[in-house]
Structures are given as structure tokens and as C-alpha cells.
Amino acid sequence: MNHPLRANLEITILNGTEWVRCSKCQRQHCRADEDWRQFCKVRLLPPTKAGSLMSDLNGQYLLRQFYCPSCAVLLDTDFVEEHSNDAGRA
Amino acid sequence: MSVNPIISSVDPITFEILSHRLYQIAKEMGTALERVGGTVNTTQMHDYMASLYLANGDVLSAGDSMGWHVACAGFAVKRIIERFENNGGINTDDIFLLNDPYLAAIHQSDVYMISPIHFRGQLVGWSATFVHVMDIGAMSPGGNSPGATEICHEGIRIPGIKLVDRGELRKDLFDAFINMTRQPVMVGLDLKCEIAANNVAKARMQALYEQFGPELVTAVSQEMLHYSEAILRRRIAEIPDGTWSDTGSIHAGDTWKVHVTLNKKDDRLLFDFTGSSPQAKKGINLPYHATFGACYESILCTLAYDLPKNHGALKPIEVIAPQGTVVNPTPPAPVSLNTTSGGATVKFVANSAIMQMLATSEKWRGEVMALNAGHRLARHAGINQHGKYYVSTLSEGALDGTGARSYKDGDDTGRGLSCHNIEWLEANFPLLYLFRRNTTGGAGAGRYRGGTGGESALTVHDAPEGKIKGVALGVAGLRNSGQGMFGGYPGAPSLLMLKEGTRVAEMIAENKSLDQLDEIGGSGRLLPYCEFDVGKNDILYMRMSSGGGYGDPLEREPERVLNDVEDGIVSGEEAKEIYGVVIEGDDLVLDLAATDKLRASQRQERLQETK
Amino acid sequence: MNYVVGVDIGGTFTDCVVVDEGGKVTIGKSLSTPADFAQGALNAADDAAQNVGLKNADELLSTTQLFFHACTIGDNTLITRAGARTGLILTKGFGDTLHMMRGKIAEGLTENEIAHRSALDKPEPFVPRKLVEEVPERIDYKGTELIRLDVKAAEQAIDRLVSKGVESIAVCFLWSIINDDHERQLAELLKKKYPKLFFTLSSAVAPYLGEYERSATTVFNAYIGPKISSYLKNLQRVLHSKGLKREPLIMQAYGGVLGIEATCKNAVGIIESGPAAGVVGTRFLGEHIGEKNILATDMGGTTFKVSVVRDGVIERDYKPVILRHSILSTKIWVESIGAGGGSIAWIDPDTGLLKVGPQGAGASPGPVCYDLGGIEPTVSDADLVLGYLNENYFLGGRMKLNKAKTIEAVREKIGKLLKMTEVEAAGGIYRIANSHMSDLIRKATVEKGHDPRNFVLLAFGGAAPVHASRYAAELGIRQVVIPLTASVHGATGLISSDVVYEYGKSDHVVVPVEATRVNENFSGLLERALSDLRAAGFEESDVLVNRSVDMRYRYQVHELNVPFPAGTTAITVQEMEGLSTLFDDLYEKAFGQGSGYREAGKEILTFRLTATGLLKKPDIKAERVQRSDGAQALKGQRDVYFEEEHKFVSTRVYDFTKLHPGVEFDGPAIIESPVTTIVVNPKDRAAMDEYFNIRIHLGA
């Protein structure tokens, strides 16, 4: 059954398989059992891109953003420790 | 429309009336606590609990109490039953005291009073309260002790004593308890008010039993539990099955992780904290019952917000927390800092998982809200301008901004408790506030922005010792404050900063306003979990959490961004950089055409830079 | 013949009560005229005048000794956001004080609303952030000036506000309650440059601790001030032109009246003054019937309100919540919930449970039985189905009720879903509504340490006499009083009022405190009081002075108001000790034995003085009492469903207009009057007293 996943992402069923797709441009990102973040455009930015009060985080963290590769809508924002392979939520 | 009634053994009218009466009684208890006790913790921070229980210790009605405390108090009642039923007995008009974090309390400052309710000689139920007392005889004043490495550093720890014996206060035990603390008078007052609140509950419940009879009250009680459980299960079952997870960090010198995986299948929820760090030699550890309580609270605030808070709402929830971790420590791991560190983080990840779950349901996605993961706060102590020693809390937490919702902004400085008026603070403590206001640039950006948090600064004034002592609490670093949701940006970090050697005194002498920190000089350092002094020409700066945003800021209506800039919440620069909205000149004119253009180019930019 | 006149302007109706020298009471009524309320006042006066036997309002007003007035214009202006464009000036660094609201997002919300956290929002502010200006200045807790008022910055701030079209300015500086120099300096600047601009200083309108609440109070005053001023001055002009010689006296929210000038200075004092009139009337009635402990309950169409008179004194609220803001203006204490004759009964789709309210059907479309298009069953509809209301004699026959339609609505919308008959469903609605009201009364009394069994319950408002006996019985109350003037209770209260001035001063002192300090504080307040009352035309011998203090145990936040013995003589050391003991007693009464921790010590925070200019009260005539069983007033019988009997019972119906003082009969009975229906339950007994009030003795 079709249902939302989160803002700008929804689960849709095609030929019996569940897919994750963009709610804005309908781009099919991946199957529902895959990690949609792996199928997004990702950017790493300095923390102050999130506002001047984030300057304390300079040198320690990077701002990470995930976008729809087709319409560029922002899907997720988090921070990662600058010198690690940390999978988010610093 | 045909409806299957949830209630079967009692007529729905009587159920409605009696269940409301039980809720009222629990509320009256809470009001009695607030009014009688009236300390900063109870009145401003709502850091108390008052609830009713069945004879076996299951939660019957929790009024408006904070969810996790209700669950913990349920454990407390059961611990008292175990300890006393065959040893000392549980008699009419007894009242028990317990504050052991390894049994039911979250940390020792949370002092529980547990009171059996008898009707015609039979034990029919319990009432329980807790209050966060102002001191508990720990290493640091106020209880939260950054220097503690084991639980014995953290104050008196009672596994259960009979403080009131058949209506008689045991003065020896009462005095022994308060004697351990730095504030025996205030702590004594807190204990007295808990006794009063429990007496209120007992009297009301006995009157209820008298009026309706034990059979009917028991039947309604059972139906209330069944009611909450049945409706909650139905609601859970309506949501698509799935698994969601999140990780939070506790920064307190070192870093510890809290990881949760939420699994929903049919009408059951399983929170699994496997993957969380081993327990610490710092008071951040959260006992199992509190971890459980945090998960319970995340449901009470969302799926069960309109249901009676009782044991029934607990039944669909299961919590796995491996022993020896920060979320299920074993003695002698210390706990005194936990509510604002481990506790805040557990609540955050549990809520985050729940929010992700709710977002998948058409019916419930309106309840999604970006969450705060804590804030910094400080206890302070010293001799006040009237010559009296005091210990208190700088309770600015009410000024946290709340997170954005899926359909509207968060609220600026609107967490819903309350903080003191500046005038009240300056009348009671040797302080002078320089400012207290909204934080410009604090709010997490998004299609819907978070609420901005408050910031304040103070120095000492007329302090007989020339200074006051502070204890800095709350998770430091990034992982406090509001976390963004589904693309939304986080709120600015909450922080405590001490500026030393400033020109405050000089500037006052020059009749210069003190509201711009940059102009006051001195050298600033961020305060981790620690003790610190605020002396002459020192300034303590506190910034509360700001709420996280929801969704993509490039989708926020430009007119809303204009309002934000006019109100001083968002700066003109941020409007451009983050929202792609162009606002020109001193009279703040919105340029829609330039905005469209800028946003288009920002979208392109997103897709261009390489990973 | 001289008259005393009271005009009470409500949301729908304007009532006028006239009492002549012999104590005879006459009533007039007219629809309220929101476009120009004064017109409705004149219409009601006209109606009353004619009922008295005079030609018109002119004849009445020219022989009026005292003219009292209550209106809802203060509330309306706030609720409809129709006040002045208001600016706010605060201490630099604290410009967000009003908007922060100390974080209190949940203030003034119902329990259900608070539980729904994701939906919480702060109320829309009365002053947008862009109309708040911050001025450099600073005073400390001792009243010492730390930073001078920056006059240039102040002038620029005022200019900016005026350039933005501000019509009224509120000023609130930190610690102005101890040292008001800076606020007064600012006032001088305003008066010099913008003499026509309305402004309010916090130190004048609410000289009490707490800059958030004080600024909110000051803002409310500045916001409604211009409108109140123009309304009252116009009213005075109009009445004067019609022959009224003396100044109209205006009801304040704390249950006393003030002249026009004094009211205009303190406009915030008339917010929610309507209910105050009713409670004053309650106390007055209590004096006549010898009851000092009264619960005044008002069950209207949508709201149920409770106020308390204890030992002949109206209970007050010193920090009322108005439109979700805590303010520092004295008010009678009122608890209210959304429960009334128009409350809608509905089945919760989630749970299948029957709920009543808080949504109401309002005046339009109204209950189903009014046949004005209402389709949702209400409490009044249940009352009709149960047989309490007479479909052929509602409002004295002026309105016919559609019983068939009502029965169908209750059956289809409620009964069927609960698998109950319409009668059982109506009984359930009735019971649930009553339990909401008794729960509220319980909250109002028990939480304050009062035992409801020690009170009589007064019932006014349209629907109350149908329900009062039941919600009173729940609490063990033994007597319900339904006054003759129940339908115009507010106006009746007006004419029994005194002129009352309230004064206060924040001064934080630890007990024991020297009596000299206490007397200094009070004498300052007394001086102002005597001056004001003298200007209002009172001799010192006609002035009653009450002094009290707000006290608390140290380290606590909550305060209790503790009275001194009445009078103006200097407070003695013994009286101070007596005060301390009284506080301990009051505290334990409110919160339980042993709840006070005397070792904590006590402190006083606020000194209060109430000065009452006693007015001659109308002498309400007591009729001769003649015992009878009321048989001559019997107009018939009908079957009425009584919950406690679980069945329909054949019930006597009486015509109120044919009852006389001394009549007494047992329930079950119904008394029908042109303005209300009174239900007497099976185990109760009804009597009419010498003032034509109906007294119901419960369980007699």
C-alpha cells in the first residue's frame, strides 16, 4: 500500500515491489529495503552554512546534506565528525 | 457510523464520569505539590510527579505528570511492596520514602514518597509523588556532581524506609535524611509537601470508594487500563510495519553513544538499545527503569496524548537495554548528571524513532515534530544579598524554542514550563541580569523553522562573598539543542559560557548599556560539566536550545522569512544564504523576483558540487 | 421618588434594574447594541422606566440617585483584537519580555489542549515585535539607579513608534516598582512631545513584582484604554443629556465600582467585570438571607462559572489569567469550563464513549429544540427529552420547542450508537454535564481548602436551575438558592455595590518585620486612598479600610493573601504575630495539616489596601411569609425522568408567578417561570423565602 515515508519521500508499489520515490518529482530512488541515502546527492559543507552560531563546530564537524538527484529538494541534514567515517548523528 | 465500544463491563456514562474523577484526583495531587512545595524545581521546571496506582503497583492514573517519572514510580511502588509486605508491614496511613536510582529513582535528587491507600482495612491502591529536591548531600551542591565517579559520591541513597508509621511522622528518619543535605530546611519542606499531596490523594480516593463502592471503582480502574491499551494497540496497528533507528551522543568530557532501533510489528513496539556504549565513570548513566520510562514517555506524548496515562499504555511497549551499558548500568556506576545527559539523549533517540514511524502514517504524520535533545543549565549556590546561604537552579529551560511541525513553525521560547521573572531572581539572589532575549540566528531553518531559544547574561551584584558558585550541567557540544527533521537544520547549540575579567563595572559607571556582550570585553570560555565561580566582572552567558526546522528551507514562503527578519529571529544574511530569500535595505523590502532567481541557482549548486 | 439604577450590558442582552425608595425592584431588558453600546443601555433604561410606570428613560434618569454600570467592552476589545495600535517600551536587553511570556505557552489552556503538545502555540501577541522599543536604563532591586535613562534614545524610540502609527504606548522598566523615576521621566517626554497620545506606566497601573506579568498588564491597559475612555466619556455625556446628574459608577473586575475618571486611568480593571457584578449580587443576597458562605454558579449557554464568597468576603485572584496572559490586576476569582445548556453531546469515534462539550451550539443554530437549524443534540435538548423543560412554555411561552425533532436527534446521534433509548441517552448527557460542573466546583473549593458542604450554592444563568440540585448534591451541599433576580443577576449586583479602590505595593520583607516598616508601607497607601475617596465625595467616616499582605514560606514561590483586622490604626507587634499565626492556619487549611513548614520562616511580598466608600444599599423589601403548600400555584403535572429513580415519575408543575413567600412542598416538582425552569428532585424540598427566592433543601 502506498504510504509516506517522510517529508518529500514516499513508498510506492510497482509490480509488487515497494519503492522509495521523491514526492516532488516522482524520481524513483531505490527499493524500500535499500538505504535511500545511498542513492542521493550528498554534500559536505562547513558548519557555518547552517548559521553563524554554528561557528563553534568549525574544525570538529561538517554539515552533511542529502538531496534528490533530480529536483534537488533537501531530504536530510545532519552533522558528521570531520575526521571519522561516522554514519551521522555526531 | 457504527462504533464498537471499548468499554464492556461498566456502562459508558459511569466510566466517563469515574475515569475523569480519577484523573482529577491525580491532578489535585500535582496541584497540591506545586502549591505546597513551591520550590523552583516544582513550580518552574515541573520537575515532580503525582500519580495513583492499583494495589499491585500498576499505574492507574498519572494526571499531568511527566511520562517517564510515572513509569519509574510504578517500579517504586513494586519495590516497596517487595520490601515491606513481609517485613514491617504495609499499614493504613503509612508513607514510604525511596530514592535509590538502582531501584526506581532516576537519580538520588528525585525523592519518591509512596503511600498505600486502604479502604475499610483493605489495601486498594497506592499514591506516589516525587520531587526533585534542591540538595541531596552529594559532592556538588544541588546534587548533580561532575566530579563523581561512583554512586557513593552522589548523596544519600535510600532503598525504602517507612517515613510515616500509621500516621505518625518518624522524626528520627526525617531528620536523618535532611541532615545529609546542604539545605535541610528546603528539603524538609519538599518532603512535607509530598506528604501533604499523598494525604490529599488518600482522602479523595477513600471518598470515591465510599461513594461508588469498591466493586465499581475496581471495575472502572480495570476498564481504564483496558481502554488505553486497546486504543493504543489499535493505533499502532494502523501504522505500516517497519524499523527505524537513531544514534545520539553524550558529550561530557568523553563521548558516549546511545543507539536505538525501533521495531513495529502489528500492535507491538520494541525499542532495542543494543549498540549503546558501555557504562561510564561519570554520572551520565541512565538506569533501566528510566530508559524504559523514556520510551513510555515518547508514546504518551504522541500516539497516546489523549488517552488516560496508565499501565495499559505500557503494555504494547517492550524495551531491550543490555546490562552494563549507559542505558542499563550496574552499581557502582554514578548517575547524578543523567537527566540532562543520558536521559535527554535516550529521550531524543526514542522520540526520533517514533517520529520517523509516525511520518509513515497519513493519519499520524501531523504529530511529527522536530525534537530537542537537551540544553545546558546551571545550578548556583552562595550567600545572597540578604546574608542567607542558598542553592538554586537557573531555570531558563522554559525558554527553549520548540521544534517545527510538519505543517507549522516551532514556538519561540515556548517549551511550556516557566522561568522566573528577572525581578524575582534579582530579589532573591545576588545577581544582575544584563539581558534576556530571543537568540537571533538560533532557530533551525526549514520549510517550517524551529522556535528560537532564549539567551541571557548575568553577573554578580551585592554578593557578600563577592561571588557565587555554579555547577554547569547538560550535554555540551553539538548534540544538544533542537535537531532538524527531514532536511530541516538543527537549532543553534545550547551553551554556557563564562566571560572573565570584563568591563561590567566600568560600563555601568559610564552609563553604558550592557546588552552587547562583544562590547563588554573579557575572555570567554565554554563551560563543560564542571563547577565554576562567577565573581566581580565575570559574566555567565546562557543560551537555551533552539528548535530544529522541518523540511527544505528553500520551500519556506518568502513572506514568512520577511516576518522572521522583521522580528529579529533570522538575520538578513541567513535569509539569503539559507532560505534563498532576498530582502533589501534598512526598511526591509522583499524582492520576490530576485528570490526566485537565487533559489533556482542554489538548487543548481546543490547538484553541482562533487561529493 | 428617587431611584437607584443598574445597567448591565452583556453579550446578547442589556439588563436594567431599578429600585425605588420603598425597595421595590423593577426590571427592564433590551438587546445589546454592539455598534454603540450606549444606545442599548438607553433602550433598556427606557424599558425599565416604562415598567416602573414612568414615561421614558429621561424621567427615570433625572430622578436617579445612583447609576451603576457594567459592560463587556473591555473583554470584547481584547477578544476581537479591536484595541489601539499599541507600542511597548522596555529596558534595553529585555525587549522580548512580553513575547517570551516566561516560556508559558500552556497558560490558560484546558487540560486536553495542553496534553496535545504538538499542537501547542503561543497566543498572537497584542504588540507585534516591531512595535517594541528598548531604551538604555537600569535600576536594581534596591531601587538604585545603575544606568541613567538615555533621554535621546528614549525620544528616538518614541518617535519611531509614532511614525509607525502607534496610538497608545505601554512602558515597563525593570524595578520601576521600587523606583519609578525613569518611567516618570519617559512620561514627561511623552506628554511634552505627544500630549494627545495615550500611555500607561507599569509603575502606575500594576506596581507589583514580575516584569513579564507587569508588562502584559500595562499592555492590556494601553491597548483597551483609548476605547474604554471614549466609550465611558460618551456614555457619561449621553446620560447627562438625558438628565442624570451624578457620575455613573463603573463595575470593576474585583467587585466594586469606580467613577469614570478612575476607571479610565485603570482600564484593565474592567476586563471581565461582568461576572464580578453577579458575585457582588450574590454576597448582597447572602447578607439578606443570612448566608456567609456561598458558591455562586452561573450556567449559561456555553460556559459554566464558579466564584466563592467565604465569611461574607468575595474570594479574589491577584494574578488572574486573561486570554492566556497572567496579569497583575485584582479580580474576583472565577473558575470556568466549557459546559452549558448549549454544550453539544457527541460520540467519540475512536472510543465509542459519550462526551459532552466543550463545543457549544451557541445562540445560532442553538440546541435542536430551538428549531433554528441546530442538528447536534445539546444539554438543553436532553433536558427536554427528560421532561424538565416544557415545550409549550419555554421562556414564558414566547418560544415553542420542537420535542419530536429533539427526541429524534438524541436517538439517532447518541442513543443508537450507545444501544440506548433516547431517554437513557438523555439521562447520560445530563449526568455527564452535571459531573463536569461538580468536578469544577470541587476543584474550585477543595483545592483552596474549602469544604463544599459548608456552603450554600447559588444558581443563576438560564440552564442552572434545571441542573443545580444535582451538581450540588454530588458535593454534599445541602441547599441550593435560586434568586428571584437570577436572570438579571449582574444588574442586581450592580445596585448593591460600593465604591472600592485597590492599592498595592511590592516590598519584600522577612518576618519578623518591624511594625514601623509595615505601617510606613500602609500609610503611604492610605494617604492615596483617603485622597481618592475624598475627591469622590466620601467623608472619612464613610470609608472602610482593609489591609492585607501576600505572604509565603521562605524559599517557596506561592503566596497567600492574609488580612489584618479592618481599620486604619497602626499595626502593633501583637497584630504582626497574630498575622503570622493566621498565615500558618490558613496555609494548613488550604493544604492539609502539617503541610506548613514553619521552620522555613516567612516573608511578606506585597502590601495591599482596599478602601471602600460605603454607599447606601437598596432596602429590598421582605415580604410577609404565609405558610402554604402552593396548591393554588399548581398548573398541572407531567412525567419527568429522574436519574436516581431510573424511571419517569409523575411530577407536579407549579406556576412561579403564583407562588408566594412561605410556600413549601416536596419534590418531585417543576416550577415554571417566564424566564426559567426550576427542577426539584424527588428527595428534595422546595420553599419560597421572604424575598421570593426559591430555596431547595437537598435530601430533606
Side-chain angles (χ1 to χ4, degrees), chain B residues 249-524:
Chain B
S249 312
I250 306 168
H251 291 273
D254 274 339
T255 304
W256 293 267
K257 298 272 182 200
V258 174
H259 180 77
V260 76
T261 305
L262 170 66
N263 179 277
K264 186 215 92 90
K265 179 113 176 74
D266 304 322
D267 64 0
R268 296 186 311 280
L269 293 171
L270 170 63
F271 293 84
D272 188 341
F273 286 87
T274 304
S276 302
S277 299
Q279 64 192 49
K281 279 209 167 96
K282 192 136 185 158
I284 58 157
N285 303 293
L286 194 71
Y288 175 79
H289 43 266
T291 301
F292 179 90
C295 297
Y296 177 56
E297 186 173 311
S298 72
I299 300 297
L300 284 185
C301 295
T302 53
L303 280 176
Y305 79 84
D306 57 342
L307 301 177
K309 291 187 212 170
N310 59 42
H311 184 78
L314 277 178
K315 302 211 28 214
I317 303 169
E318 200 188 326
V319 176
I320 293 174
Q323 239 192 18
T325 60
V326 288
V327 292
N328 186 359
T330 53
V335 298
S336 65
L337 307 173
N338 63 11
T339 49
T340 54
S341 57
T345 310
V346 168
K347 279 195 197 187
F348 168 70
V349 297
N351 274 298
S352 167
I354 293 284
M355 290 300 170
Q356 291 174 62
M357 177 182 83
L358 296 178
T360 67
S361 156
E362 283 293 357
K363 184 175 173 196
W364 288 96
R365 58 199 317 217
E367 294 302 317
V368 170
M369 196 167 159
L371 299 158
N372 287 18
H375 58 223
R376 307 303 318 280
L377 73 158
R379 306 252 187 246
H380 61 129
I383 312 276
N384 73 7
Q385 64 269 47
H386 311 297
K388 258 288 186 206
Y389 178 72
Y390 75 89
V391 178
S392 187
T393 309
L394 286 168
S395 62
E396 310 258 319
L399 302 182
D400 283 346
T402 59
R405 278 99 15 134
S406 61
Y407 59 98
K408 63 180 165 177
D409 294 345
D411 277 288
D412 299 327
T413 60
R415 195 161 133 233
L417 310 167
S418 70
C419 68
H420 280 300
N421 277 295
I422 303 282
E423 287 174 352
W424 190 93
L425 290 161
E426 293 184 351
N428 287 282
F429 306 116
L431 309 170
L432 181 74
Y433 271 77
L434 279 45
F435 58 79
R436 186 199 262 172
R437 59 189 175 214
N438 285 335
T439 308
T440 303
R447 178 181 174 144
Y448 296 105
R449 65 167 179 83
T452 192
E455 61 175 6
S456 63
L458 57 89
T459 185
V460 289
H461 185 65
D462 287 0
E465 292 178 317
K467 64 174 187 209
I468 57 165
K469 184 184 224 47
V471 180
L473 303 173
V475 179
L478 173 68
R479 281 346 224 168
N480 61 30
S481 201
Q483 305 303 302
M485 188 128 240
F486 303 163
Y489 287 58
S494 171
L495 57 90
L496 289 173
M497 176 172 66
L498 186 65
K499 284 198 96 165
E500 292 161 305
T502 71
R503 296 177 47 238
V504 174
E506 249 179 79
M507 289 184 68
I508 290 177
E510 293 166 11
N511 281 299
K512 290 229 175 71
S513 200
L514 302 163
D515 66 300
Q516 295 305 318
L517 268 187
D518 305 333
E519 295 170 8
I520 308 186
S523 62

Side-chain angles (χ1 to χ4, degrees), chain A residues 4 24 41 72 74 77 89-90, chain B residues 247 479 487 552 555 606 609:
Chain A
K24 293 191 74 99
K41 176 72 168 66
L74 176 59
T77 300
R89 290 290 189 210
Chain B
T247 310
R479 281 346 224 168
D552 189 346
E555 294 190 330
R606 284 175 172 181
E609 276 178 47

Side-chain angles (χ1 to χ4, degrees), chain C residues 227-238 260-261 264:
Chain C
K227 204 155 193 166
I228 301 301
S229 216
S230 83
Y231 166 75
L232 288 177
K233 298 206 164 118
N234 178 58
L235 181 76
Q236 183 171 31
R237 221 179 359 253
V238 165
I260 302 275
E261 194 69 45
C264 287

Side-chain angles (χ1 to χ4, degrees), chain A residues 1-11 18 23-24 36-45 47-57 60-63 65-81 86-90, chain B residues 240-241 244 246-249 251 255 257 348 352 356 359-362 365 439-443 447 477-479 483-493 495 526 543 550-555 573-574 577-578 602-611:
Chain A
M1 198 194 72
N2 282 9
H3 63 82
L5 179 61
R6 39 194 278 159
N8 297 317
L9 287 178
E10 57 197 21
I11 302 287
E18 284 193 333
S23 308
K24 293 191 74 99
W36 55 268
R37 285 186 179 82
Q38 302 295 329
F39 296 84
C40 288
K41 176 72 168 66
V42 183
R43 272 205 304 177
L44 290 170
L45 302 161
T48 41
K49 281 288 183 181
S52 57
L53 295 181
M54 299 293 182
S55 55
D56 295 325
L57 308 174
Q60 268 188 291
Y61 295 101
L62 287 171
L63 178 68
Q65 295 199 314
F66 297 82
Y67 317 102
C68 170
S70 167
C71 67
V73 71
L74 176 59
L75 293 172
D76 201 20
T77 300
D78 69 1
F79 282 85
V80 287
E81 278 175 29
D86 198 344
R89 290 290 189 210
Chain B
D241 286 350
W244 307 272
D246 208 342
T247 310
S249 312
H251 291 273
T255 304
K257 298 272 182 200
F348 168 70
S352 167
Q356 291 174 62
T360 67
S361 156
E362 283 293 357
R365 58 199 317 217
T439 308
T440 303
R447 178 181 174 144
L478 173 68
R479 281 346 224 168
Q483 305 303 302
M485 188 128 240
F486 303 163
Y489 287 58
L495 57 90
L526 290 180
R543 189 201 300 152
Y550 180 100
D552 189 346
L554 294 187
E555 294 190 330
E573 209 179 288
E574 238 188 276
E577 293 282 315
I578 298 180
Q602 283 174 339
R603 285 194 178 97
Q604 281 213 339
E605 223 181 279
R606 284 175 172 181
L607 298 180
Q608 258 156 30
E609 276 178 47
T610 47
K611 211 171 186 165

Side-chain angles (χ1 to χ4, degrees), chain B residues 1-7 11-17 20-21 23-24 27-28 31 34-40 43-44 174 178 184-186 188-189 192 196 204 211 227 231 234-235 301 305-306 309 363 366-367 369 385-386 388-389 398-399 405 407-409 411-424 426-428 432-438 454-455 461-462 508 511-516 563 566-567, chain C residues 92-97 99-106 111-112 115-122 128-130 134 136-142 145-148 173-177 208-214 347-355 417-420 427-429 431-432 435-436 438-440 442-443 446-448 474 508 552-560 587 591 593-597 599-600 603:
Chain B
M1 171 184 78
S2 109
V3 178
N4 277 322
I6 296 275
I7 307 306
D11 84 83
I13 314 295
T14 305
F15 176 83
E16 175 68 16
I17 292 173
H20 194 253
R21 185 68 58 79
Y23 168 73
Q24 286 287 89
K27 266 210 64 157
E28 268 178 52
T31 305
E34 256 206 39
R35 296 187 62 137
V36 176
T39 58
V40 172
T43 59
Q44 307 303 310
F174 185 88
I178 65 177
V185 164
M186 275 177 69
L189 191 58
K192 287 268 182 138
R204 305 279 178 274
Q211 184 180 2
Y227 173 97
I231 297 179
R234 195 211 284 150
R235 290 176 178 178
C301 295
Y305 79 84
D306 57 342
K309 291 187 212 170
K363 184 175 173 196
E367 294 302 317
M369 196 167 159
Q385 64 269 47
H386 311 297
K388 258 288 186 206
Y389 178 72
L399 302 182
R405 278 99 15 134
Y407 59 98
K408 63 180 165 177
D409 294 345
D411 277 288
D412 299 327
T413 60
R415 195 161 133 233
L417 310 167
S418 70
C419 68
H420 280 300
N421 277 295
I422 303 282
E423 287 174 352
W424 190 93
E426 293 184 351
N428 287 282
L432 181 74
Y433 271 77
L434 279 45
F435 58 79
R436 186 199 262 172
R437 59 189 175 214
N438 285 335
E455 61 175 6
H461 185 65
D462 287 0
I508 290 177
N511 281 299
K512 290 229 175 71
S513 200
L514 302 163
D515 66 300
Q516 295 305 318
N563 283 339
E566 285 173 335
D567 289 348
Chain C
K92 197 155 202 324
F94 302 91
D96 292 314
T97 299
H99 293 82
M100 286 179 136
M101 296 179 73
R102 296 207 277 136
K104 294 198 284 181
I105 191 175
E111 295 154 355
N112 287 335
H116 196 183
R117 277 185 221 177
S118 70
L120 287 181
D121 271 320
K122 280 182 172 173
R129 189 62 184 81
K130 0 183 206 287
E134 302 178 47
E137 68 86 37
R138 192 59 152 94
I139 287 172
D140 78 358
Y141 72 101
K142 299 188 298 290
E145 180 188 79
L146 297 179
I147 298 173
R148 268 202 302 266
F173 289 147
L174 289 175
W175 291 113
S176 59
I177 58 174
Y208 307 108
L209 190 93
E211 74 278 359
Y212 160 59
E213 286 79 0
R214 192 162 76 255
I347 304 289
D348 185 333
D350 236 351
T351 62
L353 287 176
L354 174 61
K355 306 263 178 200
L417 297 167
L418 296 176
K419 301 206 176 51
M420 290 179 171
I429 294 168
R431 269 180 72 201
I432 290 176
S435 81
H436 287 331
S438 67
D439 275 346
L440 186 76
R442 184 188 315 267
K443 187 170 174 233
V446 159
E447 276 184 16
K448 288 188 161 264
E474 263 300 300
H508 184 179
R552 65 176 183 213
Y553 286 114
R554 302 194 72 194
Y555 309 117
Q556 272 196 279
V557 173
H558 292 298
E559 306 152 23
L560 284 184
Y587 202 89
F591 303 117
Q593 228 202 14
S595 60
Y597 200 171
E599 290 88 329
E603 53 199 7

Side-chain angles (χ1 to χ4, degrees), chain C residues 248-252 254 256-260 262-263 266 498-501:
Chain C
L249 296 171
I250 314 299
M251 177 59 72
Q252 308 294 307
Y254 50 74
V257 293
L258 288 178
I260 302 275
T263 304
N266 194 44
D498 293 310
V499 170
V500 179
Y501 282 82

Side-chain angles (χ1 to χ4, degrees), chain B residues 49-312:
Chain B
M49 187 280 312
S51 304
L52 299 167
Y53 301 80
L54 300 178
N56 68 354
D58 286 345
V59 179
L60 169 59
S61 176
D64 291 333
S65 305
M66 267 164 53
W68 68 343
H69 291 307
V70 173
C72 296
F75 282 85
V77 173
K78 295 183 185 187
R79 295 293 92 80
I80 294 295
I81 294 172
E82 279 159 21
R83 178 174 285 273
F84 284 91
E85 62 185 346
N86 296 316
N87 183 7
I90 296 167
N91 306 308
T92 305
D93 298 332
D94 283 347
I95 300 185
F96 302 89
L97 182 154
L98 180 157
N99 78 331
D100 187 345
Y102 282 105
L103 288 181
I106 299 179
H107 48 192
Q108 279 109 305
S109 302
D110 296 342
V111 179
Y112 286 84
M113 294 277 212
I114 297 139
S115 166
I117 298 172
H118 291 81
F119 181 69
R120 296 195 187 137
Q122 288 280 83
L123 178 70
V124 292
W126 296 80
S127 66
T129 59
F130 100 82
V131 165
H132 180 111
V133 299
M134 224 38 255
D135 193 81
I136 198 66
M139 276 176 78
S140 297
N144 316 97
S145 303
T149 52
E150 54 180 275
I151 191 132
C152 288
H153 296 162
E154 298 178 317
I156 189 168
R157 173 159 81 116
I158 305 281
I161 53 173
K162 190 181 286 202
L163 186 65
V164 177
D165 189 343
R166 271 169 281 226
E168 287 278 335
L169 177 70
R170 289 282 306 268
K171 198 96 186 7
D172 57 347
L173 296 179
F174 185 88
D175 287 346
F177 187 87
I178 65 177
N179 196 51
M180 266 293 298
T181 76
R182 295 175 181 76
Q183 295 277 274
V185 164
M186 275 177 69
V187 175
L189 191 58
D190 279 337
L191 297 186
K192 287 268 182 138
C193 85
E194 288 199 69
I195 292 173
N198 278 291
N199 285 340
V200 163
K202 191 160 58 191
R204 305 279 178 274
M205 287 301 287
Q206 285 165 344
L208 193 79
Y209 272 90
E210 189 67 59
Q211 184 180 2
F212 291 96
E215 292 79 25
L216 187 55
V217 178
T218 304
V220 170
S221 303
Q222 292 301 334
E223 285 288 5
M224 280 174 77
L225 266 57
H226 168 68
Y227 173 97
S228 289
E229 182 183 353
I231 297 179
L232 182 57
R233 282 194 190 276
R234 195 211 284 150
R235 290 176 178 178
I236 295 171
E238 284 168 354
I239 297 171
D241 286 350
T243 304
W244 307 272
S245 64
D246 208 342
T247 310
S249 312
I250 306 168
H251 291 273
D254 274 339
T255 304
W256 293 267
K257 298 272 182 200
V258 174
H259 180 77
V260 76
T261 305
L262 170 66
N263 179 277
K264 186 215 92 90
K265 179 113 176 74
D266 304 322
D267 64 0
R268 296 186 311 280
L269 293 171
L270 170 63
F271 293 84
D272 188 341
F273 286 87
T274 304
S276 302
S277 299
Q279 64 192 49
K281 279 209 167 96
K282 192 136 185 158
I284 58 157
N285 303 293
L286 194 71
Y288 175 79
H289 43 266
T291 301
F292 179 90
C295 297
Y296 177 56
E297 186 173 311
S298 72
I299 300 297
L300 284 185
C301 295
T302 53
L303 280 176
Y305 79 84
D306 57 342
L307 301 177
K309 291 187 212 170
N310 59 42
H311 184 78

Side-chain angles (χ1 to χ4, degrees), chain C residues 279-289 294 492-493 495-497 617-620:
Chain C
V279 185
V280 170
T282 297
R283 185 184 52 194
F284 184 59
L285 187 142
E287 283 165 9
H288 282 79
I289 64 174
I294 309 174
T492 315
I495 59 163
S496 67
S497 300
K617 306 290 178 307
D619 226 336
I620 308 297

